[in-house]
């Protein structure tokens, strides 16, 4: 069996971490008797600065022939923030309609968590983040630039000044951004989360802010309730997004599968990453179950560490395991995760963020060797 997998090393530390991920995936392939043929796609800052192109139609068409893309990281200080993130990363998530962003929050054995008195048994859940709608659709704008306030507002400004409130200018300029969710877009991701809950602990927590943003998230909640009737075995609850950040810290053991709209999912998964030991350990998958999916660490491109062979490759190696599982190589994927755990428990070959002094490639070598050695 041979799998063809496109690789986008990307920017910053991307090439270094993805190289280790490929090394470990190849070790798992060797052990389990399959081959991986990698094809590199050079997208990201260099490509953009050389050609002015973010991600071309040709590359997208080419990539859409594959089931799973392996991605390092996107983002570079030479380019204004947001240009590459939106133009490359989000462009791909949207183009391939990767409507599920799957983010396991699992504390591996031997990892330190900042949560006092919590261990691997307490921190083991999956966040299913909606990945194509909400405030990420890119509809927004600015208006009234250069228009000054009317008399009433000038009077109010004077009032503010009198009471020492900071008034920057008399401009009326506004900025707005629109969040949109569709019935189909909401239903498909919630359904995915229910199906996942059926395979796991049969508990699904929904995240919203239906108490304030009641149009958009009231709708989300209605869809959740409607679908829940099709899964009578799954226990459900609703969580306001502000409250769930509190419960992730206080009672992470309550959670099994968590489903969240795009932006809240983005925010709570950085918190999730921290309780599982840090961004260097948090993998993610952008999934279109019928199309092209994409596997990446959830952290960014850490430009200040670029080329230093210093950062932790584990999140990317773990994302590689998720990729193997997606291709149907579950035993190989499990081996990779076990090898990560063995490396961590060994305690010797660790990068600086985990209190060690090993290099990126030493960690990759160690995990690849464990994959090949362990039966
Ligand atoms: C993530 C990132 C991205 C997001 C950015 C870089 C566009 O924060 O993958 O969580 O907001 O989705
Ligand atoms: Mn994020």
């Amino acid at each position: 069996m041979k799998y063809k997998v496109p690789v986008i090393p990307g920017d910053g530390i991307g090439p270094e971490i993805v190289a280790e991920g490929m090394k470990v995936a190849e070790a798992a392939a060797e052990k389990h008797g399959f081959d991986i043929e990698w094809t590199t796609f050079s997208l990201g800052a260099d490509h953009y600065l050389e050609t002015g192109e973010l991600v071309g139609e040709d590359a997208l068409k080419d990539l859409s022939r594959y089931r799973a893309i392996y991605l390092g990281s996107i983002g570079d200080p030479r380019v204004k923030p947001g240009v590459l993130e939106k133009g490359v990363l989000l462009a791909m998530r949207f183009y391939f309609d990767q409507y599920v962003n799957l983010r396991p929050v699992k504390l591996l054995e031997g990892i330190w968590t900042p949560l006092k008195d919590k261990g691997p048994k307490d921190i083991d859940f999956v966040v299913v983040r909606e990945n194509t709608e909400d405030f990420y659709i890119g509809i927004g704008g600015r208006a009234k630039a250069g228009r000054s306030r009317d008399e009433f507002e000038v009077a109010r400004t004077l009032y503010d000044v009198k009471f020492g409130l900071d008034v920057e200018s008399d401009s009326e300029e506004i900025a707005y951004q629109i969040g949109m969710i569709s019935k189909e877009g909401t239903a498909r991701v919630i359904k995915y989360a229910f199906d996942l809950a059926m395979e796991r602990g049969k508990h699904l927590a929904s995240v919203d802010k239906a108490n304030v943003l009641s149009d958009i998230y009231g709708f989300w909640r209605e869809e959740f309730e409607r679908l829940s009737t099709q899964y009578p075995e799954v226990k459900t609850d609703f969580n306001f997004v502000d409250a769930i950040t509190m419960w992730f810290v206080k009672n992470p053991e309550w959670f099994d599968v968590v489903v969240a709209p795009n932006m809240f999912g983005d925010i709570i998964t950085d918190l999730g990453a921290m309780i599982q030991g840090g961004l260097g350990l948090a993998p993610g998958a952008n999934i279109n179950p019928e199309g092209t999916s994409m596997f990446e660490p959830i952290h960014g491109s850490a430009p200040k560490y670029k080329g230093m062979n210093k950062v932790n490759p584990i999140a990317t190696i773990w994302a590689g395991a998720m990729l193997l599982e997606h291709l149907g190589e579950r035993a190989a994927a499990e081996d990779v995760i076990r090898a990560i755990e063995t490396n961590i428990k060994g305690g010797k070959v660790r990068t600086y963020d985990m209190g060690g002094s090993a290099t990126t490639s030493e960690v990759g070598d160690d995990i690849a060797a464990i994959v090949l050695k362990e039966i």
Side-chain angles (χ1 to χ4, degrees):
M1 187 69 193
K2 182 188 250 175
Y3 300 100
K4 294 187 174 176
V5 179
V7 184
I8 305 172
D11 304 320
I13 55 167
E16 297 157 56
I17 50 180
V18 113
E20 301 316 309
M22 290 159 71
K23 188 187 280 174
V24 174
E26 276 167 25
E30 186 181 326
K31 184 171 166 192
H32 290 268
F34 60 91
D35 283 320
I36 310 174
E37 187 188 303
W38 310 100
T39 312
T40 304
F41 283 71
S42 304
L43 298 173
D46 288 340
H47 179 75
Y48 174 65
L49 292 169
E50 275 159 31
T51 65
E53 177 186 76
L54 288 157
V55 47
E57 193 65 24
D58 287 350
L60 289 170
K61 285 222 174 85
D62 225 3
L63 286 164
S64 70
R65 295 186 293 120
Y66 302 90
R67 281 195 63 208
I69 302 168
Y70 200 19
L71 171 68
S73 51
I74 298 289
D76 187 292
R78 293 170 295 169
V79 182
K80 219 173 94 202
V83 173
L84 297 166
E85 292 85 343
K86 287 200 278 187
V88 181
L89 179 62
L90 296 184
M92 290 193 291
R93 289 180 184 168
F94 277 71
Y95 182 86
F96 299 118
D97 201 18
Q98 293 161 342
Y99 63 86
V100 172
N101 191 327
L102 201 60
R103 298 188 159 180
V105 178
K106 184 174 159 67
L107 179 66
L108 301 181
E109 212 54 72
I111 301 271
W112 179 83
T113 173
L115 299 189
K116 194 165 176 286
D117 303 328
K118 300 291 178 191
K121 279 193 195 62
D122 305 304
I123 303 171
D124 184 5
F125 59 92
V126 181
V127 177
V128 175
R129 167 185 172 192
E130 200 289 318
N131 213 24
T132 55
E133 301 196 326
D134 200 32
F135 286 95
Y136 276 67
I137 54 174
I139 300 180
R142 290 180 176 215
K144 297 191 184 179
R147 209 162 112 178
S148 50
R149 294 171 186 232
D150 60 24
E151 261 168 65
F152 174 74
E153 280 166 325
V154 170
R156 202 185 60 203
T157 306
L158 292 173
Y159 177 88
D160 289 346
V161 169
K162 184 169 161 200
F163 288 97
L165 300 169
D166 195 16
V167 178
E168 285 274 302
S169 78
D170 68 350
S171 166
E172 268 191 70
E173 188 169 7
I174 57 162
Y176 60 95
Q177 190 102 29
I178 295 194
M180 179 286 294
I181 63 172
S182 68
K183 189 157 174 109
E184 192 209 340
T186 305
R188 64 185 182 175
V189 73
I190 292 177
K191 202 164 176 326
Y192 185 96
F194 269 111
D195 288 335
L196 185 62
M198 285 297 287
E199 283 171 31
R200 290 180 49 108
K202 298 197 168 61
H203 179 237
L204 180 60
S206 176
V207 180
D208 64 45
K209 185 76 188 175
N211 50 345
V212 178
L213 302 166
S214 37
D215 287 307
I216 182 165
Y217 301 125
F219 186 64
W220 171 277
R221 196 177 269 221
E222 264 168 47
E223 276 305 293
F224 186 88
E225 272 176 324
R226 186 177 68 80
L227 287 160
S228 69
T229 61
Q230 297 173 18
Y231 296 87
E233 284 169 66
V234 179
K235 277 187 61 187
T236 58
D237 50 55
F238 297 109
N239 300 261
F240 294 135
V241 63
D242 45 352
I244 209 170
T245 60
M246 188 171 76
W247 302 130
F248 273 12
V249 172
K250 190 162 181 292
N251 297 100
E253 67 281 0
W254 284 355
F255 298 102
D256 174 33
V257 181
V258 177
V259 66
N262 205 343
M263 192 170 74
F264 296 154
D266 176 44
I267 297 166
I268 64 173
T269 51
D270 266 25
L271 175 57
M274 275 301 135
I275 68 174
Q276 75 183 113
L279 279 168
L281 292 157
N286 305 278
I287 293 183
N288 175 341
E290 285 91 43
T292 300
S293 300
M294 187 164 73
F295 299 79
E296 56 170 337
I298 87 164
H299 62 65
S301 59
K304 71 173 181 191
Y305 293 116
K306 177 180 174 162
M308 291 168 70
N309 198 17
K310 186 176 160 106
V311 297
N312 194 342
I314 289 180
T316 312
I317 294 171
W318 192 342
M322 294 175 82
L323 184 151
L324 293 178
E325 177 162 1
H326 186 77
L327 292 176
E329 297 292 344
R330 176 168 276 206
E334 282 167 1
D335 259 10
V336 170
I337 293 172
R338 259 200 305 276
I340 293 172
E341 277 181 303
T342 306
N343 158 273
I344 289 165
K345 271 188 258 167
K348 291 207 186 77
V349 190
R350 293 182 163 191
T351 44
Y352 78 97
D353 56 310
M354 291 173 62
S357 58
T359 62
T360 308
S361 47
E362 281 165 354
V363 172
D365 287 342
D366 188 56
I367 295 172
I370 298 167
V371 166
L372 287 169
K373 196 167 60 202
E374 302 229 326
I375 305 147

